Amino acid sequence: MMPLLAPVFQGEWAPLGETLDCARPPQAVPVGALLDDPVRLRGVLQRHALSLGVGGPDLRATASAWTLAYLWTLLPPVVAAASLFQHRFPVGASGLAVSFDAHGTPRRFHLADEGTSLPGSPTADRYDPLLWDHLAPLFAAVSAQTRLAPRVMWGNAARYVGVVFEHLAGSGLAPPQLARDHGTLMHQATWPDGRDNPLHPRVRPDPALHRQCCLYHRLPRQSHCRGCPLPGAAGR
């Protein structure tokens, strides 16, 4: 685990601190190359579909499940570094590689370097590479391959960003910047440069429900989750 992350990734969260490193194993795929190669990206998604028991050409539910796995591997260490330690990792698509398992599931991300300490910096300075140089092109590429709406993937991202902030707030290490970052990321309709904030919902749902349905119930042998926002789905 990177020393910066060790104070917060302990106990059951320790494995999430191991998903980011500065190594670049031979099998790692540059994220930028993955997004620029529709055949390779579709192959990864099809392997994941096979592992989930999904048949047929409709990969929307598979793509959502895949992005959930991708985001849960990427976001915890990146958000912790950015908001707890005010440190920006180089997580734009052009400077990052990813390792997949045999099922196309993302298992680890590989940085080009250890990044930059930015004490006292605005939220956007630390999160722009993640949101605009990585997640936005990733979701666009996945949408082009599967017809999954980007808003579903941004809803998946918002779900996990919220979980990470909740964990960080209870870590005993939370600085004032943590609450400011959370507000900027989750509760402001526009990004500081005026663009729409994709993590902010157009219509705020019941706080007990997720912001977007993740389509997980469309996978074989799965059902609606307790926080599903679809009418009548919660509690099934």
Side-chain angles (χ1 to χ4, degrees):
M1 185 183 304
M2 300 176 73
L4 177 72
L5 302 173
V8 72
F9 288 96
Q10 301 179 6
E12 65 180 13
W13 274 64
L16 297 174
E18 301 282 1
T19 62
L20 200 64
D21 61 33
C22 288
R24 187 68 65 100
Q27 73 275 13
V29 179
V31 174
L34 178 70
L35 303 188
D36 289 340
D37 187 342
V39 174
R40 175 181 278 183
L41 177 59
R42 190 167 185 86
V44 169
L45 293 169
Q46 288 174 330
R47 292 206 313 272
H48 201 62
L50 184 64
S51 74
L52 296 173
V54 175
D58 188 348
L59 292 177
R60 287 176 294 177
T62 293
S64 181
W66 183 82
T67 60
L68 284 168
Y70 190 105
L71 293 163
W72 193 235
T73 303
L74 176 67
L75 291 180
V78 173
V79 172
S83 288
L84 202 60
F85 305 116
Q86 298 187 51
H87 186 94
R88 184 180 66 202
F89 285 133
V91 291
S94 63
L96 196 65
V98 58
S99 292
F100 297 104
D101 67 13
H103 304 300
T105 307
R107 292 302 184 191
R108 183 167 292 194
F109 287 91
H110 311 284
L111 301 165
D113 58 65
E114 294 187 355
T116 307
S117 178
L118 298 171
S121 59
T123 303
D125 287 359
R126 287 170 280 113
Y127 279 95
D128 272 354
L130 173 66
L131 266 61
W132 305 111
D133 300 332
H134 189 154
L135 297 187
L138 170 70
F139 295 163
V142 172
S143 180
Q145 287 299 309
T146 66
R147 297 184 297 111
L148 178 66
R151 69 175 182 275
V152 174
M153 293 178 272
W154 283 113
N156 291 345
R159 177 187 308 190
Y160 282 159
V161 168
V163 171
V164 176
F165 270 101
E166 182 178 357
H167 175 72
L168 298 179
S171 68
L173 303 171
Q177 183 66 40
L178 189 71
R180 292 195 292 270
D181 285 354
H182 185 260
T184 300
L185 288 165
M186 307 292 285
H187 302 301
Q188 291 188 11
T190 57
W191 200 241
D193 63 7
R195 284 180 285 187
D196 288 343
N197 178 3
L199 293 174
H200 184 271
R202 292 294 177 272
V203 178
R204 186 168 297 280
D206 182 326
L209 303 181
H210 298 308
R211 296 180 175 191
Q212 292 284 342
C213 175
C214 66
L215 308 184
Y216 212 78
H217 65 282
R218 295 188 179 183
L219 297 173
R221 300 175 299 279
Q222 301 300 329
S223 61
H224 298 81
C225 65
R226 287 179 294 178
C228 183
L230 294 179
R236 288 182 185 172

